Amino acid sequence: MDTQKKKTAILPVLHMTCASCAVSVESMLKAQPGISSAAVNYANATAVIEYNPAIVSLEDFRKTVQQIGYDLLIDTGNTIENLEHIQQDQTRQLKHRTIWSILLSIPVAIIGMFYMNMPYANYVMWALSTPVILWFGKQFFVNAYKQALHGKANMDTLVALSTAVAYLFSVFNTLNPGYWHSKGIHAHVYFEAASVVIAFILLGKLLEEKAKGNASSAIKKLMGLQPGTVTLIHEGGHTMSIPLEQVNKGDLLLVKPGEKIAVDGIVVSGTSYVDESMLSGEPVAVPKKVQDSVFAGTINQKGSFQFKALKVGAETMLSQIIRTVQEAQGSKAPVQKLVDRIAGIFVPAVIAIALLSFILWYWLGGENGFTHGLLAMVTVLVIACPCTLGLATPTAIMVGVGKGAEQGILIKDAESLELAEKINAVVLDKTGTITAGKPVVTDLQWRDQKDTPSDVLAAMEKLSEHPLANAVVNYFTTSSAKNVTEFRSITGRGASAMVDGKKYYVGNRHLLEDQQITSDELLIHSAEQWASQSKTVIWFADEAKALAVLAIADQVKPSSRAAVQQLQEEGIEVYMLTGDNENTARAIATETGILHYKAEVLPQEKAAFIKALQEQGKTVAMVGDGINDSTALAQANVSIAMGKGSDIAMDVAKMTILSSDLTKIPLAITLSRKTVRTIRQNLFWAFIYNIIGIPLAAGILYPVNGFLLNPMIAGAAMALSSISVVSNSLRLKWIGSK
């Protein structure tokens, strides 16, 4: 398929009731021409489809899945709102069916267990159980029938078969008790088993829906960051409130104190502080002035400003984050592919075991063989739970990805989340990753502390085109403006200028030597000390003598040393790669505690270095922020981009740290380990539940101690198994970073 024509759609799937449903929908979609890949996630009820729009359309997908009883919600511009309404309506209907099923099943169960000999007991139970089976539980039969038409089976098939067999057998025994009496067998009825099973399964699904809703709360929180309306400024200056959907690129928007910023843009007038914690995770508000960028979903503080809309709709950073989280929550971890294969054969295998149980009981069970066989068959069909298997991995992935998003860690797919657990080597780029990537004045020494003409120095640097000049200007923010004349740039040396009739110089040591300007011992000592630390030294002088010396460096981020220490404590080797010189690399490595580093490395050499580590058997994470890191990011097992870096680095990386805080990296690894641990726990309990439950239901203990599992208990156990798996995944929400 031509990769240029591929498109990816994330579509909500409606009416799925178990993991086998997801397998059925996925297999039907994959069979469509024009689809290169399809992944259906039961936990968040979405299908991620990569397709060629020239061959197949979204409507074709919908018709395909409708054939087997499901539906897709096609984007109409208000997909999220429509989906919420549909889900709320479905939950309301499910709640209604569950309550009525329980209310009708309670008297049936009481009569069936304690008052079997009361007059017309069977007929009363028949009357009460019929609406439960045929009305409140009709969806199980409808879905099972649609599946059967296409040669497929799912959870609904198991429920429909078990309850139908129990119900029809009970109706026969109610109307024809003499048939069994003539054979010397009591005509048992199982109305209570059929109705209570339906009630328990509906209750389980209701609780499961609520739990799944909690698991996907990260998306809801992100979507809640978008305001519904914005204030538009017209050419005449008057304002009006319009819906968010009507905002166009180039529109001028007003943001008042306390309001959420609707779209990405650039400030054109006014100043304020903006809470960008949803992007960066940093609690301190960021100052905004003219020409500064603002982002959708961030919250304006006390000031008011106008900004020009540059990115709207799906282009905003918030929309991209939402889409990335959706794709990650919908993606499948490698272990899930195995589980999907098991879920695909699970239902047919259970039906076969149920039939075998009935045959063996009928053949070997003596005078009650038929009754016990029927009971065992029903119980096997009821207790088997593909949902537990299907929910084990995706619910943990959903909560893990959501937890990461809340912490400012954007995880693009489940595979990287699962793989991060195995990381034992982290390679860090220096500039912009370990360091801030922005030169600042770190040290300043004046010749005479009483004579510090900082305003002259700042005024000269304002006119300089040297890349380090801004660092000096920013350092002297409180300096008053000076009138500078005859400013002249001296190539390779610095600059000179006249200020208040006096000549000044700013530049390197060679400039002072060329002008035969004397230097104080204190200044020389400071300059040599800073130079040994690989800092850039700048001299400031008048015509006769040096007045000051400054050191400029790209400062190490406050979080870098702590992050390196945390990684090393976890037994992870930390490497630093930089294109900078040996002295600078050594100084940064010493300051941060990094034991392994390599200087003067070209971009392609970074990728080769990572490959060499991988050949040693290491699982490598690469952390970078620049375009020059993109090849190394692509080579690494797990690629992590710093969110304030280049778009290319973020596109290549599988994880993005939205802030510049390196301590988020050990947090991401910890989150991965806890998520994988939760997946393993879920799968263990899912397999154990089915491995123990199905033989018990078949009556394996009956020859030993006479134990035969009641279908009602089986229905309750099946419901609880799914709830327990989802609840275990939800524990990730409340776990701290350690």
Side-chain angles (χ1 to χ4, degrees):
M1 187 186 290
D2 185 357
T3 55
Q4 296 298 316
K5 294 180 180 178
K6 280 184 185 177
K7 286 182 74 174
T8 300
I10 306 174
L11 302 174
V13 186
L14 307 177
H15 314 313
M16 286 199 299
T17 56
C18 72
S20 298
C21 299
V23 175
S24 297
V25 174
E26 190 173 296
S27 63
M28 290 292 283
L29 286 170
K30 284 180 175 176
Q32 282 276 97
I35 292 180
S36 55
S37 70
V40 179
N41 188 317
Y42 170 55
N44 66 357
T46 57
V48 181
I49 309 165
E50 194 173 309
Y51 68 103
N52 187 335
I55 298 173
V56 68
S57 69
L58 299 182
E59 197 56 45
D60 293 331
F61 305 156
R62 187 176 186 182
K63 289 175 183 173
T64 298
V65 300
Q66 282 176 339
Q67 291 174 19
I68 52 171
Y70 309 107
D71 202 355
L72 294 177
L73 188 60
I74 307 297
D75 191 354
T76 56
N78 294 304
T79 301
I80 303 305
E81 291 83 351
N82 291 342
L83 180 60
E84 279 196 6
H85 289 150
I86 290 169
Q87 288 175 337
Q88 286 170 3
D89 187 52
Q90 287 181 342
T91 303
R92 191 164 48 249
Q93 288 181 24
L94 180 57
K95 188 176 180 180
H96 175 264
R97 286 158 53 205
T98 303
I99 290 170
W100 276 105
S101 296
I102 292 170
L103 290 174
L104 291 171
S105 296
I106 289 172
V108 177
I110 292 171
I111 294 170
M113 288 188 287
F114 304 111
Y115 300 101
M116 274 299 294
N117 296 320
M118 66 177 269
Y120 304 105
N122 287 2
Y123 287 94
V124 173
M125 288 191 290
W126 183 10
L128 291 172
S129 63
T130 298
V132 176
I133 307 294
L134 301 182
W135 182 252
F136 300 119
K138 70 174 182 180
Q139 202 60 44
F140 296 115
F141 299 95
V142 172
N143 291 342
Y145 174 70
K146 288 180 179 177
Q147 291 284 317
L149 288 177
H150 290 82
K152 297 182 181 294
N154 65 0
M155 187 66 211
D156 294 329
T157 309
L158 298 181
V159 176
L161 278 173
S162 61
T163 54
V165 169
Y167 178 77
L168 292 173
F169 180 68
S170 300
V171 170
F172 177 84
N173 287 0
T174 300
L175 296 175
N176 301 286
Y179 175 80
W180 298 107
H181 293 160
S182 65
K183 298 178 181 294
I185 300 172
H186 181 69
H188 288 285
V189 294
Y190 297 101
F191 288 119
E192 80 281 4
S195 61
V196 172
V197 162
I198 292 284
F200 268 133
I201 291 172
L202 288 174
L203 178 62
K205 288 196 173 298
L206 183 62
L207 294 173
E208 186 184 297
E209 284 301 314
K210 289 189 174 181
K212 281 161 60 180
N214 288 333
S216 61
S217 62
I219 289 288
K220 292 174 185 172
K221 285 180 183 176
L222 288 171
M223 289 171 176
L225 295 171
Q226 296 172 308
T229 59
V230 298
T231 304
L232 178 69
I233 303 173
H234 285 288
E235 290 182 11
H238 65 278
T239 62
M240 68 176 292
S241 181
I242 62 169
L244 174 62
E245 296 78 28
Q246 294 181 16
V247 177
N248 297 311
K249 287 183 187 177
D251 282 350
L252 192 61
L253 305 175
L254 173 66
V255 182
K256 298 170 187 174
E259 288 186 343
K260 290 174 183 173
I261 295 167
V263 296
D264 293 2
I266 189 167
V267 178
V268 295
S269 72
T271 59
S272 184
Y273 282 82
V274 175
D275 178 359
E276 293 188 344
S277 57
M278 57 77 60
L279 289 176
S280 65
E282 305 293 338
V284 181
V286 180
K288 295 294 179 183
K289 59 184 186 302
V290 175
Q291 292 301 307
D292 282 348
S293 296
V294 290
F295 302 97
T298 56
I299 303 169
N300 185 30
Q301 300 287 296
K302 295 179 180 178
S304 179
F305 61 88
Q306 298 176 9
F307 75 100
K308 183 179 180 182
L310 297 181
K311 292 181 178 179
V312 300
E315 295 179 347
T316 66
M317 183 179 287
L318 177 60
S319 294
Q320 289 168 4
I321 290 172
I322 290 171
R323 185 175 178 85
T324 302
V325 174
Q326 281 179 321
E327 287 180 353
Q329 289 188 334
S331 64
K332 292 188 178 180
V335 68
Q336 179 64 20
K337 291 165 187 173
L338 171 63
V339 175
D340 281 349
R341 285 199 293 273
I342 294 169
I345 61 171
F346 186 88
V347 175
V350 168
I351 293 170
I353 292 169
L355 289 171
L356 183 62
S357 301
F358 175 75
I359 292 166
L360 288 174
W361 269 106
Y362 184 71
W363 184 31
L364 303 171
E367 62 177 19
N368 291 322
F370 181 86
T371 305
H372 286 165
L374 186 70
L375 197 66
M377 181 173 71
V378 169
T379 310
V380 167
L381 292 169
V382 168
I383 203 167
C385 189
C387 300
T388 315
L389 286 171
L391 288 168
T393 301
T395 51
I397 292 294
M398 281 175 66
V399 179
V401 169
K403 182 74 174 174
E406 289 173 15
Q407 299 281 344
I409 304 163
L410 198 57
I411 301 164
K412 288 191 180 177
D413 60 28
E415 186 173 0
S416 60
L417 183 63
E418 187 178 333
L419 200 55
E421 185 235 2
K422 300 174 184 174
I423 291 171
N424 51 22
V426 172
V427 177
L428 302 170
D429 171 51
K430 179 183 78 71
T431 306
T433 302
I434 296 173
T435 66
K438 187 178 180 182
V440 294
V441 174
T442 58
D443 307 276
L444 169 63
Q445 180 66 57
W446 290 98
R447 179 190 182 116
D448 183 354
Q449 295 298 330
K450 295 178 183 177
D451 180 24
T452 58
S454 57
D455 49 357
V456 175
L457 176 56
M460 288 181 67
E461 291 287 38
K462 268 186 181 175
L463 298 175
S464 174
E465 295 177 355
H466 195 279
L468 298 181
N470 272 339
V472 180
V473 175
N474 292 335
Y475 185 78
F476 296 113
T477 52
T478 57
S479 299
S480 57
K482 281 282 185 179
N483 185 31
V484 179
T485 58
E486 299 180 31
F487 180 86
R488 184 170 69 91
S489 180
I490 305 168
T491 305
R493 294 288 188 266
S496 66
M498 297 293 292
V499 180
D500 296 335
K502 191 174 181 181
K503 194 163 192 177
Y504 291 92
Y505 296 91
V506 59
N508 57 27
R509 185 72 188 272
H510 296 300
L511 176 62
L512 272 64
E513 291 171 354
D514 291 347
Q515 303 299 324
Q516 298 180 342
I517 295 170
T518 60
S519 302
D520 185 273
E521 279 299 321
L522 174 63
L523 299 183
I524 293 171
H525 175 73
S526 296
E528 288 174 349
Q529 182 183 349
W530 297 335
S532 69
Q533 296 170 2
S534 296
K535 295 179 179 180
T536 302
V537 177
I538 293 178
W539 291 82
F540 175 52
D542 59 19
E543 290 177 287
K545 61 187 179 297
L547 301 175
V549 64
L550 303 89
I552 295 179
D554 181 8
Q555 275 193 311
V556 171
K557 294 174 187 174
S559 61
S560 294
R561 184 172 181 82
V564 170
Q565 187 177 345
Q566 286 175 34
L567 289 167
Q568 290 171 340
E569 286 172 356
E570 293 283 340
I572 297 169
E573 292 180 359
V574 181
Y575 299 82
M576 181 183 73
L577 300 183
T578 177
D580 221 327
N581 61 64
E582 174 70 23
N583 289 339
T584 302
R586 189 189 309 111
I588 297 295
T590 302
E591 187 176 347
T592 54
I594 293 174
L595 303 177
H596 314 283
Y597 69 89
K598 198 171 182 183
E600 299 177 14
V601 180
L602 297 173
Q604 59 269 30
E605 291 174 339
K606 289 183 181 180
F609 181 83
I610 289 171
K611 190 174 182 182
L613 289 177
Q614 289 169 330
E615 287 170 353
Q616 295 171 28
K618 297 185 187 297
T619 302
V620 184
M622 169 68 195
V623 187
D625 76 318
I627 295 171
N628 62 328
D629 298 319
S630 55
T631 51
L633 288 167
Q635 175 65 42
N637 300 95
V638 178
S639 46
I640 305 172
M642 304 307 288
K644 295 189 176 178
S646 73
D647 289 342
I648 292 175
M650 284 189 279
D651 283 345
V652 172
K654 294 296 185 184
M655 291 188 187
T656 299
I657 306 299
L658 293 174
S659 68
S660 57
D661 185 355
L662 267 188
T663 58
K664 300 287 187 184
I665 293 165
L667 178 60
I669 294 171
T670 300
L671 180 65
S672 165
R673 286 175 177 170
K674 287 179 176 172
T675 303
V676 171
R677 193 183 311 145
T678 302
I679 290 171
R680 287 173 182 158
Q681 290 168 354
N682 287 349
L683 288 173
F684 172 79
W685 288 113
F687 279 112
I688 286 295
Y689 167 81
N690 284 294
I691 288 168
I692 294 174
I694 291 173
L696 276 179
I700 197 168
L701 291 180
Y702 189 81
V704 179
N705 58 12
F707 177 78
L708 200 58
L709 193 64
N710 190 301
M712 291 186 291
I713 305 300
M718 193 221 69
L720 287 170
S721 66
S722 292
I723 297 163
S724 64
V725 162
V726 177
S727 301
N728 190 45
S729 296
L730 288 172
R731 287 189 314 118
L732 285 167
K733 281 189 164 192
W734 304 307
I735 291 174
S737 60
K738 283 292 174 189

